[in-house]
Amino acid sequence: ATREGWQLDPDVVRVDRDELLGRGGFVEGFRGKYLSSEVAVKVVRFRRSSTAPGAVDGFVSEVSLLTKLHHPNVVMIMGVVAEALPNGDRTVQIVTELMGKGSLRDIIDSEEWNASTCFLLRLATDAGRGLAFLHGRTPSVVHCDVKSPNVLVSDDWHGKVSGAPRSPATVFSPSSHSLTSPLPRRLWPLAAAGSQRHAKAGRESGA
């Protein structure tokens, strides 16, 4: 079968399971390598016993749309690896650029950095630019969970809007490319706008 541009060859994506970046629900984040690049890999596990029919395909379809979003202040998703496990479970690996300084929340809480208010405002401004890009798309892309843990910081100290469907419990509506259940923390709470609920979420977030 022909491989779509966002479908990555599993043989060129290496997950370093000794380098855990974070864990929550059905998701684990690791450092990894894609070809010769250092990346972050979010590994989402779908259990056969509790996954609705079509949920995995809907999840992958939604993430594939997000691979088309390219902006200096939006974390880049490079592609997806979807695999079936021998026990009938499935995993989806979301490969993104690696943000070496963690999140805006990490920096605010850190005793090591002692960041100035001016610097934190610059990171917030970076995030605002990313949100303006997303909202200016046609159709608009609405970030449903704007907060400091979802603003990641690069090695050169630029802020980027982040997020990603976190949980196999998230239900997708492929016909409208919209998420139809509440969205999560940290990995990718982005959705193509297609409902009044999404528009309301964007207004309430202050985005």
Side-chain angles (χ1 to χ4, degrees):
T2 302
R3 191 186 301 273
E4 297 285 349
W6 49 266
Q7 293 177 307
L8 304 182
D9 183 345
D11 292 336
V12 298
V13 177
R14 182 176 66 82
V15 180
D16 187 347
R17 295 188 178 271
D18 292 329
E19 290 284 344
L20 181 69
L21 298 176
R23 177 184 287 123
F26 291 87
V27 172
E28 292 179 312
F30 300 94
R31 284 181 178 265
K33 275 201 170 182
Y34 168 50
L35 298 175
S36 60
S37 299
E38 295 284 339
V39 296
V41 184
K42 278 81 172 180
V43 182
V44 188
R45 185 168 185 136
F46 293 79
R47 298 192 183 281
R48 180 181 61 176
S49 60
S50 58
T51 301
V56 178
D57 292 339
F59 182 89
V60 171
S61 176
E62 190 78 17
V63 176
S64 73
L65 295 175
L66 302 179
T67 64
K68 299 177 174 64
L69 302 175
H70 299 288
H71 186 273
N73 299 116
V74 175
V75 173
M76 181 173 63
I77 296 183
M78 300 173 179
V80 176
V81 176
E83 295 184 302
L85 303 180
N87 65 357
D89 293 354
R90 294 175 67 183
T91 64
V92 176
Q93 298 177 5
I94 305 170
V95 181
T96 77
E97 64 177 311
L98 181 65
M99 303 296 286
K101 300 301 184 185
S103 72
L104 176 56
R105 181 75 260 165
D106 295 333
I107 293 172
I108 291 171
D109 291 342
S110 173
E111 296 180 359
E112 176 185 357
W113 301 120
N114 193 24
S116 69
T117 300
C118 182
F119 175 72
L120 295 176
L121 286 174
R122 183 175 71 75
L123 292 180
T125 300
D126 286 346
R129 292 191 182 102
L131 291 170
F133 164 76
L134 295 173
H135 292 183
R137 303 275 298 178
T138 303
S140 295
V141 177
V142 179
H143 196 299
C144 302
D145 193 19
V146 180
K147 56 189 177 184
S148 57
N150 287 330
V151 178
L152 302 189
V153 184
S154 64
D155 282 323
D156 57 356
W157 298 103
H158 289 286
K160 302 191 181 190
V161 178
S162 177
R166 183 186 70 169
S167 169
T170 302
V171 179
F172 292 87
S173 171
S175 61
S176 65
H177 302 301
S178 62
L179 298 176
T180 56
S181 73
L183 292 180
R185 184 186 178 261
R186 182 118 191 197
L187 298 181
W188 255 112
L190 292 177
S195 71
Q196 292 181 352
R197 188 182 69 81
H198 293 148
K200 181 180 178 183
R203 290 194 300 270
E204 288 179 349
S205 71

